[in-house]
Amino acid sequence: MSATPAPLRLWQPVVAMALVIALSNYLVQFPISAWLTWGAFSYPLVFLVCDLTNRAIGPVAARKVAWAGFAAALVISLAVAPWRIAVASGTAFIVAQVLDIAVFNRLRQASWWKAPLAASAAASVIDTLVFFSIAFAGSAFNWMLLAAGDMLVKLAMAVLLLAPYRFMLGRLQAWRPATTAS
């Protein structure tokens, strides 16, 4: 039995999730070009956090982190971004995180890189489609072009983030919550 309530034991990945989402919701408001925003570079870090949590503690903990991250990020996002972006982000986030966790868990016994790459790629596609269709449909932005650019960057980031994922594999004991017998 753990002496610390489960949500408190998972504070590090929850805080990381919330900070990445809040930063991304702010950065998505600033286009780099007609097909890309700055948010595309920061947002894929949520999949890294989710995949490391899933690997270290399992899918149940990863889902708890996703839901806690969702709640915290929604509150933060409403403070730093317009409500439509915050709602779009929250919806896309939780749908994509549930998919990421399911795909990762299904492939967790495969080679070290297959689960995080497949999970992040699948979740990135869904996240992008849900987010941009809610956040920018009907706006002055060419959101379909932005979504295509965003998705390409997220897929490239899924590949690039394999390096820190691999690096962290040997250090995952630090992610495991400490438990004490009562």
Side-chain angles (χ1 to χ4, degrees):
M1 186 184 313
S2 172
T4 308
L8 295 178
R9 289 183 287 142
L10 299 172
W11 73 269
Q12 291 169 321
V14 168
V15 168
M17 246 339 151
L19 291 175
V20 170
I21 293 167
L23 176 64
S24 299
N25 287 349
Y26 178 73
L27 293 175
V28 77
Q29 299 173 76
F30 303 104
I32 297 170
S33 66
W35 57 273
L36 188 62
T37 72
W38 286 106
F41 294 97
S42 59
Y43 190 78
L45 293 170
V46 297
F47 300 121
L48 177 63
V49 172
C50 182
D51 294 344
L52 288 168
T53 303
N54 198 342
R55 176 63 70 195
I57 315 168
V60 172
R63 280 190 289 277
K64 287 178 183 177
V65 168
W67 281 105
F70 163 77
L74 193 56
V75 170
I76 294 167
S77 296
L78 285 167
V80 301
W83 72 267
R84 189 171 175 175
I85 288 176
V87 169
S89 175
T91 304
F93 170 80
I94 202 62
V95 170
Q97 288 299 305
V98 168
L99 177 63
D100 183 280
I101 293 163
V103 171
F104 185 97
N105 205 44
R106 184 162 176 93
L107 298 173
R108 78 182 311 113
Q109 300 305 321
S111 298
W112 71 267
W113 58 271
K114 287 182 182 176
L117 183 59
S120 294
S124 291
V125 169
I126 295 303
D127 180 83
T128 300
L129 293 174
V130 172
F131 174 77
F132 278 94
S133 65
I134 295 171
F136 296 117
S139 72
F141 283 123
N142 181 349
W143 68 272
M144 292 185 10
L145 187 58
L146 277 174
D150 187 82
M151 191 176 324
L152 290 174
V153 170
K154 284 179 182 173
L155 293 173
M157 291 293 291
V159 172
L160 291 174
L161 289 173
L162 286 174
Y165 177 86
R166 178 68 173 165
F167 175 78
M168 289 297 295
L169 282 180
R171 294 154 182 82
L172 287 179
Q173 60 274 20
W175 284 64
R176 292 185 183 95
T179 59
T180 57
S182 299

